[in-house]
Amino acid sequence: MREHTIEAMFRKNREGRDDADQQAQRRRLLAAILVTLGATTLPAMALDTGSGAPAVPPPALELLVLGSGGPGAVGRAGASFVVLVDGQARLLVDAGAGAFVRAGEEHLSLRNLDIVLLTHLHIDHASELPGLFKARAVSQRGPVQFRVFGPGASRDGTYPSTTRFMDLLFGKHGAFAYLRDFSAPLSYRVSDVKAPDGRPHVLLEQDGLSVTAIAGHHREAPAVIYRVDYRGRSITFSGDIDPQAWPSLAAIAKGSDLLVVNSVVLDPPGSPPQLYELHTPPRDIGRLARDAGVGQLLLAHLNPAIDSAHDAVLASIRASYSGPVLFSEDRMRVQTEVRPVP
């Protein structure tokens, strides 16, 4: 209620102001106000501070949900997130269908987006990559270079490595080879993440930003769990994981300010049996969040079954975990600045 009241007070200042930099400034002020009120999520609309207002430092690490849904066409975009570092969109985590549109609706500046983390190569996590790459390319005239991380190939060859996946899309003979010099010179470096020893591995360290990964498990699909750290704040992304990946998630998520977990199934026997070979039920999500000591829990990759059972899902998680639990929505913003007092 407080969020929407604050929006209404300043809505008139939005008229005719769609510049991305002005919107970023409004969001930074709204973030500061909501943090003061004890809120940790931001609405899509934000404030205009006016030309004479003092600059408000942006959050060190902020999450924007581009897509909160899964493979079904049920009104949510497919799984996709952007991590903002000091107010700038820097990392893309997964790229499900509809993420391109949600980025446009947010008037999100992609000028500094240069790191891509793919949890696995299912369609609802990777299909929007060409559109987002092109949007990034047309956002500036200078060269664009991406660092792309994702899983290696499956042993049976069903799933390509991320290197091969990118080559099929953007390589010399790829489906979208033209994009390499369509608007701005576009290049990328790909790393196939391999962490067979069950320990987190640092993938990238850059100006205080750290990306760590550990092998996940999503039945036959190679998968990766990621953690992003910056200036003492952290976000962990589970991706789709089955029970074999629970120890890995607990290890890498230890002490995270925010844990993003895909919530697809109800507690047994509420969902089809085969889905428990692919996903994690609410009671186990709660236990994992408790054991990892995370500050907040964001449930993502939602579907109608979860949407219609919020109370039951929350009660199941609450049996183990007492921290804030959020159900994701497209275009939701989540702060890492406020950590609940134990």
Side-chain angles (χ1 to χ4, degrees):
M1 179 65 72
R2 286 177 176 173
E3 294 175 8
H4 297 295
T5 300
I6 293 169
E7 286 182 33
M9 291 169 57
F10 294 90
R11 187 176 292 116
K12 64 180 181 180
N13 292 327
R14 295 188 75 247
E15 296 177 1
R17 294 179 171 229
D18 286 332
D19 180 82
D21 293 334
Q22 291 174 328
Q23 291 200 3
Q25 187 179 20
R26 292 196 294 268
R27 290 193 178 95
R28 289 194 289 270
L29 180 59
L30 181 58
I33 293 173
L34 293 179
V35 165
T36 301
L37 296 174
T40 56
T41 60
L42 300 183
M45 194 178 294
L47 304 181
D48 191 331
T49 62
S51 58
V56 178
L61 207 58
E62 180 183 12
L63 180 70
L64 170 61
V65 181
L66 291 183
S68 59
V74 294
R76 296 176 182 268
S80 186
F81 309 89
V82 167
V83 179
L84 292 93
V85 178
D86 289 333
Q88 301 293 321
R90 286 292 313 280
L91 300 95
L92 174 70
V93 182
D94 283 345
F100 176 92
V101 173
R102 295 294 184 257
E105 291 171 345
E106 269 293 284
H107 301 277
L108 182 67
S109 173
L110 301 177
R111 295 171 189 169
N112 297 294
L113 188 73
D114 58 359
I115 302 169
V116 178
L117 309 177
L118 298 174
T119 63
H120 62 290
L121 300 183
H122 278 170
I123 291 171
D124 51 320
H125 292 258
S127 63
E128 199 82 313
L129 206 57
L132 289 168
F133 267 40
K134 186 171 184 177
R136 172 70 173 88
V138 301
S139 70
Q140 67 180 65
R141 294 181 180 274
V144 175
Q145 183 178 63
F146 286 101
R147 288 295 311 274
V148 182
F149 299 90
S154 61
R155 293 179 180 178
D156 64 0
T158 301
Y159 293 91
S161 67
T162 302
T163 297
R164 176 61 175 154
F165 175 71
M166 292 293 293
D167 190 57
L168 290 169
L169 290 177
F170 308 113
K172 183 177 180 180
H173 301 291
F176 306 108
Y178 79 95
L179 192 57
R180 289 181 298 168
D181 57 3
F182 173 75
S183 178
L186 187 150
S187 60
Y188 53 85
R189 286 194 293 153
V190 186
S191 297
D192 297 331
V193 179
K194 299 175 182 178
D197 55 4
R199 294 186 295 109
H201 289 256
V202 176
L203 303 180
L204 177 71
E205 289 184 320
Q206 183 182 89
D207 300 325
L209 176 68
S210 175
V211 178
T212 309
I214 195 169
H217 199 276
H218 189 39
R219 204 166 65 182
E220 75 280 358
V224 183
I225 302 169
Y226 295 99
R227 174 172 173 148
V228 178
D229 286 85
Y230 181 68
R231 286 172 50 187
R233 302 295 175 181
S234 53
I235 306 174
T236 298
F237 299 87
S238 74
D240 288 339
I241 57 170
D242 61 33
Q244 292 190 50
W246 294 350
S248 295
L249 177 61
I252 197 171
K254 203 74 173 177
S256 289
D257 293 294
L258 176 63
L259 173 58
V260 183
V261 178
N262 291 357
S263 180
V264 178
V265 294
L266 301 172
D267 286 329
S271 297
Q274 64 271 23
L275 291 182
Y276 295 110
E277 300 175 8
L278 293 161
H279 298 287
T280 302
R283 69 185 180 196
D284 295 298
I285 290 175
R287 179 182 56 79
L288 288 163
R290 177 202 64 199
D291 293 348
V294 302
Q296 300 180 73
L297 184 60
L298 178 67
L299 304 181
H301 206 287
L302 305 180
N303 57 37
I306 300 298
D307 287 336
S308 63
H310 274 199
D311 290 346
V313 170
L314 185 58
S316 185
I317 291 172
R318 281 275 176 258
S320 299
Y321 178 69
S322 59
V325 179
L326 308 171
F327 290 83
S328 63
E329 296 288 346
D330 292 5
R331 300 178 62 193
M332 173 188 281
R333 287 175 179 254
V334 184
Q335 300 285 307
T336 61
E337 301 296 323
V338 178
R339 189 175 179 91
V341 177

